[in-house]
Amino acid sequence: MTTQELATSPHGPGRPGPVDVEQAEAALVEHYPRLVRIAYLVLPPSLGRNRRVLTAHALVQRSLPRRRVSGGGVPVARRPEDAVDPGYAYVRGEVLRQALVAGLPLRRPALPRRAQLPPLLPHVWGLRLFPRAGGADELALDQRLSALSGPARAAYVLRGLERQGDPEVVRVLAAAGVPEADARAALGEADGVEAAGGAGAATLLDSPEFDPCSLQARPTDLMRRRQHGKAALAAAAAVAVCGTLLGLPGDGWGRNGAAAPSYARNPAAEAALDPEGLKRVPAGFWQRSTRRDFSVWPERGGLAGDRALLRRALAVWARPGGSVQTSATPGTPVGPPMGSPQLLYAGKVDGARVVLFHDGLRAVRYAEPAAGTSGAALDFARTDGADEVGSSALVVARAAGNVRYLTAPWVRETAVRDLLAPSKEPWPLERDADGLTRALPSPVAARGCTVWNALQLRDAAGVRLLTDLGELAPARLTAGPPTAPVDATGEEARTAWAGTACGLTAVRSHGVRAVNSWRFAGQRLPEGGGRAAWLCTRAETWRGTGGRALAQFQASAGVPAALVAKAEETPACGVRDPRVLAGVLWQAKSGQWYVLAAGSEDVASLTTSGGVVGRADGRLLALKARPGARADLRGTLKDGTPVGALR
């Protein structure tokens, strides 16, 4: 028996459903190297390798829709490990369409189309870029591809790189603007390449020879560039003189009003960068305070008195140089401190000197090598409004796939729990006197999803479960209805998370504050296939916007849940809209396909239209369907309000 999601695989035959701009952008970012490789292979080699590289990047970056575009309704499902957003199929189609247009000859008096012109962006001055050279087999394949027409190259790439069959290749080419007769002729041309190079020639498409994201650089014509540089310098000097004269203040304000010059000394700004002015909370103060957040964390660490280190950390925070590796969670400002920040920690960890600050809005981590100051790193994470649980721990260091946490002073015990093994007992996680844990493998650095180590904390109020999602502040894990979630430490909650934990990769590095897993329905599968579970996982962010909801289908206990739909900036599955509706295409052991759907408790009836037409009273639906059928799913609440499927 197989379970499959309502998502279009990059290798699958389904048409995408309605695609939002955000959905397409997420697919573009996730599959950017693959899309650029497709564009590079389809573009005509006559452009030259430098222009092909830049044009391939430009075509992919111009493939986002300007607004929501319509497609099919419920696309063919694929295995969980193959699933991507439906936006991938749309973006890939746009890339193919533009690449085929770029290969058309220019005809007068018609104006050239945008794809036929050299790209304005991206643009590289003074260098020529081209992929790394391959071997004799790659060179021979490139020569054979150069002899093909644009549609034939596209057909060969869809077959070899995307693993698509001939009917799907014809459909994709037709969607990209190629007449059906020409698409079938292109398949015949592609057959000639396979006959000449052998059936294994297509595997060479993954070679670095055709990877426009891994590049070599060489200079352009140096003498001509020197002549152009002199002319540009003279023009820039003339513009600077004219701009200075025009910008002098007369009877009115200058461009910056009453502000001081850019490099003027400002007493308040200088005070914020003085290590003597750092806020330092004494140990034990949190026990007398009515608050439980970062503001009552005491200063800790063996280097808390190192004034030189603290001065460097504050200076880099205010003015990070070009060699500083800077990162920030979405929606987090990266400017200098707003007044003197609070010192949380300064110490030596895993061969680096680490400093943690907090300024009321952000947690800031500065790190430099213990042997010097080159290669410093600066990380920002928004933490405003953190409660007792949200301020229980911060990430201090990441090294060799491991992570270390600094825990709050009110945390009594720390342990590690594998989310994928709900019946396994947690094992203790040692801490030093400062509350710094020993290193443990981070789930975001692991290859695959066989173990998901979560941090289990015990405080006076109970047991909490946090997980690393690649940011300074770990995310809290809860389970249950959105209106009454509880910490995911009970047996039922751990069982629910065992099937959905691998889906946390979809909200990694997204500024997530808390993630809740809600089992909103259970359904008996047709033909005695057992009992399935429907879950909705919602991630809330520190910034308030950008929350994500993931609908998942678990065919049986003990197997990972399949992602069937996801949405961003939606109140579904949250406290403001505690309801959800989702569907999936599922195949029974007999080979019969079914459209399955489920809604939350307030859903009174379900209907499908399009490729599968039917209706069911209640919040569960199971209808026979043809392979590859697409259906639109709608529901009605008990008060008569219509509701659509999560997407």
Side-chain angles (χ1 to χ4, degrees):
M1 187 180 304
T2 60
T3 60
Q4 302 175 325
E5 305 121 319
L6 293 182
T8 301
S9 167
H11 311 300
R15 291 180 183 267
V19 178
D20 294 320
V21 177
E22 295 82 5
Q23 223 174 350
E25 182 183 14
L28 188 150
V29 172
E30 183 179 359
H31 301 287
Y32 185 85
R34 188 179 196 85
L35 292 166
V36 176
R37 185 187 291 263
I38 291 174
Y40 180 85
L41 288 165
V42 177
L43 285 169
S46 60
L47 294 177
R49 290 196 293 174
N50 180 70
R51 182 171 168 186
R52 279 175 75 191
V53 167
L54 297 179
T55 302
H57 284 272
L59 297 185
V60 174
Q61 295 172 18
R62 294 202 300 257
S63 296
L64 290 179
R66 297 183 181 275
R67 62 185 66 86
R68 180 183 175 91
V69 293
S70 61
V74 178
V76 174
R78 290 292 171 198
R79 297 174 300 167
E81 59 269 24
D82 289 339
V84 297
D85 293 337
Y88 175 82
Y90 173 86
V91 175
R92 183 186 62 189
E94 284 298 295
V95 170
L96 289 173
R97 182 185 62 79
Q98 295 181 84
L100 292 173
V101 170
L104 298 176
L106 295 174
R107 301 183 185 278
R108 295 182 178 179
L111 293 175
R113 300 173 68 175
R114 184 180 183 186
Q116 295 175 286
L117 299 174
L120 295 177
L121 289 175
H123 200 86
V124 179
W125 292 92
L127 289 174
R128 299 185 63 81
L129 304 176
F130 48 92
R132 298 181 180 275
D137 293 337
E138 287 86 353
L139 179 60
L141 176 60
D142 191 41
Q143 292 174 344
R144 288 193 292 271
L145 290 177
S146 65
L148 299 179
S149 63
R153 284 193 300 272
Y156 189 80
V157 170
L158 290 173
R159 275 178 170 176
L161 196 61
E162 295 292 84
R163 306 293 191 269
Q164 292 186 340
D166 288 358
E168 183 65 3
V169 170
V170 172
R171 187 194 67 76
V172 173
L173 290 180
V178 179
E180 184 174 351
D182 293 347
R184 297 193 180 280
L187 290 174
E189 288 188 64
D191 290 336
V193 175
E194 294 182 353
T203 61
L204 299 176
L205 297 178
D206 282 320
S207 167
E209 171 79 14
F210 308 111
D211 183 9
C213 290
S214 178
L215 302 172
Q216 292 181 317
R218 294 294 184 270
T220 55
D221 190 330
L222 299 180
M223 294 301 297
R224 181 180 299 177
R225 192 171 73 190
R226 181 179 298 175
Q227 296 171 355
H228 291 173
K230 291 179 179 179
L233 183 61
V239 171
V241 171
C242 294
T244 301
L245 294 175
L246 293 174
L248 291 175
D251 296 331
W253 292 104
R255 190 183 72 157
N256 294 323
S262 300
Y263 293 95
R265 300 172 68 89
N266 182 277
E270 290 186 340
L273 303 180
D274 184 1
E276 298 296 336
L278 285 172
K279 298 175 183 177
R280 299 171 183 260
V281 177
F285 178 79
W286 65 272
Q287 295 173 320
R288 305 187 300 272
S289 174
T290 59
R291 301 182 61 170
R292 287 289 190 274
D293 54 25
F294 290 114
S295 67
V296 297
W297 273 36
E299 62 166 331
R300 288 175 283 180
L303 299 179
D306 190 335
R307 297 296 189 269
L309 170 63
L310 299 178
R311 187 178 298 279
R312 287 196 302 273
L314 290 169
V316 172
W317 181 355
R319 302 181 306 277
S323 63
V324 178
Q325 299 179 8
T326 303
S327 69
T329 57
T332 303
V334 295
M338 301 171 290
S340 298
Q342 177 186 353
L343 175 63
L344 302 181
Y345 179 85
K348 191 172 181 180
V349 184
D350 294 336
R353 291 184 287 263
V354 179
V355 183
L356 282 178
F357 297 110
H358 190 261
D359 67 353
L361 172 67
R362 303 164 293 178
V364 180
R365 174 184 176 271
Y366 169 80
E368 65 180 29
T373 57
S374 61
L378 192 64
D379 303 312
F380 296 85
R382 189 167 173 173
T383 56
D384 51 315
D387 56 10
E388 182 175 356
V389 180
S391 57
S392 294
L394 286 175
V395 171
V396 173
R398 298 181 188 276
N402 296 323
V403 62
R404 287 178 182 264
Y405 297 97
L406 181 68
T407 57
W410 54 83
V411 172
R412 299 178 178 179
E413 297 177 5
T414 55
V416 182
R417 181 178 286 280
D418 182 4
L419 293 183
L420 303 185
S423 59
K424 183 179 180 181
E425 289 296 320
W427 58 96
L429 180 64
E430 293 81 9
R431 297 182 293 167
D432 62 15
D434 289 328
L436 182 66
T437 69
R438 67 170 175 83
L440 72 151
S442 171
V444 299
R447 295 183 178 180
C449 186
T450 57
V451 175
W452 194 286
N453 291 324
L455 177 65
Q456 181 171 292
L457 306 177
R458 181 182 296 276
D459 55 25
V463 181
R464 322 291 188 182
L465 207 58
L466 309 176
T467 186
D468 177 29
L469 291 180
E471 300 167 337
L472 278 181
R476 181 183 186 182
L477 300 180
T478 59
T483 54
V486 296
D487 286 288
T489 54
E491 182 178 355
E492 183 177 351
R494 296 198 309 269
T495 301
W497 269 110
T500 60
C502 293
L504 287 170
T505 56
V507 295
R508 183 171 50 190
S509 301
H510 193 61
V512 173
R513 179 175 187 165
V515 188
N516 184 62
S517 181
W518 172 34
R519 186 181 186 275
F520 65 89
Q523 183 176 21
R524 289 198 175 278
L525 297 175
E527 302 183 17
R531 187 168 183 82
W534 291 88
L535 304 106
C536 190
T537 303
R538 181 174 178 85
E540 300 289 356
T541 66
W542 287 97
R543 62 190 182 277
T545 60
R548 291 183 178 178
L550 313 175
Q552 295 169 294
F553 175 77
Q554 189 175 21
S556 61
V559 300
L563 177 68
V564 299
K566 74 175 181 177
E568 189 167 343
E569 297 291 3
T570 176
C573 294
V575 65
R576 289 189 295 113
D577 187 16
R579 58 180 60 90
V580 65
L581 174 61
V584 70
L585 196 61
W586 176 83
Q587 188 179 29
K589 287 183 178 180
S590 64
Q592 176 64 50
W593 288 87
Y594 291 87
V595 169
L596 306 179
S600 48
E601 289 185 355
D602 52 355
V603 175
S605 63
L606 301 175
T607 59
T608 59
S609 59
V612 180
V613 179
R615 184 181 185 281
D617 291 327
R619 61 193 184 110
L620 301 175
L621 176 144
L623 298 173
K624 290 185 177 181
R626 298 185 306 275
R630 296 181 298 274
D632 290 320
L633 178 63
R634 296 286 177 182
T636 304
L637 302 181
K638 293 179 180 178
D639 61 3
T641 304
V643 60
L646 183 71
R647 61 181 58 183

